[in-house]
Amino acid sequence: KQSSTCICSIRNMNKILLLGPPGAGKGTQADIICKSLSIPKISTGDMLRSAIASGSELGKKVTDIMNSGGLVSDQIIIELILDRIDQADCVNGFLFDGGIRTVGQADLCVENSIEFTHVIEIKVDDDVIVDRMSGRRVHPGSGRNYHLVYQPPKNEGVDDMTGEPLIQREDDMPETVKHRLQVYQDETKPLVAYYQSLESKSSLKYIAVDGSQSVEKVFEDIEQNF
């Protein structure tokens, strides 16, 4: 049941940045928000893949960098963003699912007049995220996902449909998760203070919600603060 102040009733341009550590549930909330507002979800990975597939000059530049094992620079990321938000489906806004990862990228956004109307931080304690992610299991052939606690298979260790063994991905190993969380704390968490400071100087609205709640309750909190 949706609240009386439904997010889908807001028709002005919404340019949203979603922040939060890996495993916080950003992707799930991004899908719900985008459906409610009829705006596209944008991620760095999607932009890179689209640019490469397009065969454009920018795409060729990205392909050359990645083929040589190099890192795509912040400046190229901004070029990709400018190209993406200029497309027709962004006429009513867009949502970046963690697409801005460093203060340097945030500065370049400001310099290029890429301004967010809302920054939403989904906050979850590290130990909860380690529990969430280390409990994941996947069926390699289909990509079906399970969780040992929240969504276990009917029979322990095997896929419901095929009976084939489930695996734990390297990215979901506890030590890998802890490393990813440390990278987030070092590189991306400073964006929280960055955008909180912008709130007092612009029309930006900063929203922080507790991501340890149910999916429905997290979205309800976003709705009520939007």
Side-chain angles (χ1 to χ4, degrees):
K1 184 179 177 181
Q2 293 185 331
S3 64
S4 57
T5 55
C6 177
I7 196 170
C8 61
S9 67
I10 303 169
R11 295 302 178 193
N12 59 309
M13 174 78 79
N14 292 290
K15 296 177 284 188
I16 303 167
L17 173 62
L18 206 52
L19 295 178
K26 295 190 300 298
T28 299
Q29 293 301 324
D31 289 341
I32 298 171
I33 294 167
C34 288
K35 183 177 180 181
S36 182
L37 291 171
S38 298
I39 57 176
K41 180 174 75 171
I42 300 171
S43 72
T44 302
D46 289 343
M47 287 190 298
L48 289 169
R49 285 187 288 271
S50 178
I52 291 168
S54 72
S56 66
E57 286 304 313
L58 184 56
K60 291 175 183 175
K61 191 185 299 185
V62 170
T63 301
D64 290 343
I65 292 169
M66 296 184 75
N67 285 344
S68 67
L71 294 175
V72 179
S73 68
D74 286 351
Q75 185 57 52
I76 289 180
I77 293 294
I78 296 303
E79 289 180 45
L80 288 168
I81 291 173
L82 288 167
D83 182 66
R84 180 65 185 88
I85 65 178
D86 196 41
Q87 295 176 25
D89 62 340
C90 293
V91 66
N92 292 318
F94 48 81
L95 180 147
F96 271 91
D97 180 5
I100 309 302
R101 299 181 183 276
T102 66
V103 170
Q105 290 177 359
D107 279 335
L108 284 172
C109 282
V110 172
E111 290 172 19
N112 286 274
S113 300
I114 303 168
E115 298 175 352
F116 295 103
T117 57
H118 300 79
V119 173
I120 302 170
E121 180 192 7
I122 301 179
K123 303 173 71 171
V124 185
D125 290 341
D126 285 1
D127 58 344
V128 174
I129 288 175
V130 172
D131 176 61
R132 277 185 183 179
M133 297 182 73
S134 62
R136 290 177 180 173
R137 297 295 184 271
V138 65
H139 175 240
S142 67
R144 277 185 291 275
N145 285 288
Y146 300 87
H147 192 281
L148 298 182
V149 176
Y150 308 116
Q151 191 181 358
K154 294 175 183 176
N155 297 299
E156 185 177 350
V158 297
D159 178 53
D160 288 350
M161 297 186 68
T162 66
E164 295 171 345
L166 302 175
I167 65 166
Q168 184 178 36
R169 297 181 308 175
E170 180 67 31
D171 275 358
D172 294 334
M173 299 285 187
E175 289 309 310
T176 306
V177 174
K178 289 175 184 176
H179 174 71
R180 293 174 65 194
L181 288 170
Q182 189 59 55
V183 171
Y184 174 79
Q185 292 292 337
D186 293 344
E187 295 184 2
T188 307
K189 185 69 172 178
L191 287 173
V192 170
Y194 181 95
Y195 283 112
Q196 285 176 330
S197 70
L198 279 186
E199 187 175 27
S200 62
K201 307 171 189 174
S202 66
S203 58
L204 170 74
K205 183 164 187 182
Y206 193 92
I207 300 168
V209 295
D210 177 4
S212 65
Q213 306 172 103
S214 69
V215 169
E216 294 77 14
K217 185 63 171 70
V218 173
F219 179 65
E220 182 182 325
D221 286 355
I222 292 171
E223 265 191 321
Q224 290 178 348
N225 290 283
F226 203 84

